[in-house]
Amino acid sequence: MCSSDLGALAGVGGAGSIVPVPGSASSASSSEQRVGIRPLSRSGVKFEVSRVLFNPAADEYLAVAGYAQCHVFTLGPKGEVVDRLCVGPEEWPLDGMHGALLDVDWVPGRTGALSITVSAHVAVLDLAKSSVAPVLTVSLPPREGGGDGAPARIAASAFGFRKGVENRLLVLSEDGALYSHPVRDGDEGDVTIDESCRLVLPEVCRGRAGLSVHFSRAHGVALASFDGGATVLARLHPE
């Protein structure tokens, strides 16, 4: 489930629904309130949905992702779906979990830029130019101890954003390394993250597999979780 700044929720369940959020947060009463919610629209897709995400820079765009497909819905003023756009190939080539779509995220401050993460790289697509060909792909440096020189596999990624600070792509590897890579307007091509972008993690996280990374735009902090229950909270530095 996700929410938009305009006060709507999008959730997964059956066909999925987009509903208005009652304005009860400002109520002076501390007692529990029960409210009825009327869906603005219901829209089905032909794949199992794993994530839905409104674009903070343009609330009319909603990313709907599964494990092998990703669509972007355009919503009308009443919350109805007026258009759908398939992002990437019709069916992403799956190779077990190594080929599955791991994360989707909107690039902060850009109305039509969406990132899609698979284990090999993070692909950034400018939907105004193409919904199939990424303008930028970001890969990890070779994994430690891997004599074949192959890049490390990605476990998760998220965009970090702070006012007055350039966008940072936070990438967590399967072997537990966390990187903070700058992404600027106009960046194009295939990029490998430099080892200097690797963040120093507490001892409790070292040697543990990376599981997930999230960034709270409301609080300006990143949360990375690791095998064994360890979680790291980090704040973006202005520099």
Side-chain angles (χ1 to χ4, degrees):
M1 179 175 289
C2 67
S3 64
S4 74
D5 291 340
L6 295 180
L9 290 175
V12 179
S17 300
I18 300 170
V19 302
V21 180
S24 58
S26 59
S27 173
S29 174
S30 60
S31 61
E32 180 179 341
Q33 292 184 336
R34 293 182 178 272
V35 295
I37 295 179
R38 178 181 60 83
L40 296 174
S41 66
R42 296 181 184 273
S43 301
V45 291
K46 296 180 180 179
F47 55 87
E48 182 182 358
V49 176
S50 60
R51 190 173 187 190
V52 289
L53 188 66
F54 279 109
N55 184 350
D59 274 326
E60 67 270 25
Y61 296 133
L62 175 71
V64 180
Y67 298 103
Q69 293 187 45
C70 179
H71 290 184
V72 170
F73 289 2
T74 301
L75 307 181
K78 297 182 179 179
E80 75 280 13
V81 178
V82 297
D83 192 22
R84 302 183 185 205
L85 179 67
C86 179
V87 180
E90 185 71 25
E91 192 87 11
W92 288 72
L94 294 181
D95 177 20
M97 284 306 294
H98 291 316
L101 303 187
L102 303 176
D103 272 312
V104 296
D105 201 5
W106 293 100
V107 180
R110 296 171 61 181
T111 58
L114 181 73
S115 71
I116 297 180
T117 303
V118 294
S119 65
H121 58 249
V122 180
V124 178
L125 297 100
D126 185 343
L127 302 181
K129 296 179 179 179
S130 173
S131 62
V132 178
V135 295
L136 175 68
T137 60
V138 180
S139 305
L140 290 176
R143 61 182 183 273
E144 293 181 351
D148 57 0
R153 290 189 179 275
I154 297 173
S157 78
F159 270 97
F161 169 77
R162 184 174 172 183
K163 188 175 182 180
V165 180
E166 63 188 1
N167 291 333
R168 309 290 299 195
L169 178 61
L170 305 173
V171 184
L172 181 65
S173 71
E174 288 184 351
D175 57 12
L178 181 61
Y179 297 84
S180 175
H181 176 73
V183 175
R184 306 175 181 89
D185 290 347
D187 284 355
E188 295 182 351
D190 299 326
V191 176
T192 298
I193 297 177
D194 191 271
E195 190 65 35
S196 63
C197 294
R198 183 169 178 171
L199 303 181
V200 178
L201 297 174
E203 186 66 33
V204 68
C205 303
R206 295 175 188 174
R208 298 184 180 275
L211 298 179
S212 66
V213 61
H214 301 280
F215 185 80
S216 169
R217 300 187 186 187
H219 301 286
V221 296
L223 296 96
S225 61
F226 301 82
D227 184 41
T231 300
V232 171
L233 183 69
R235 187 179 299 275
L236 286 183
H237 192 278
E239 298 179 358

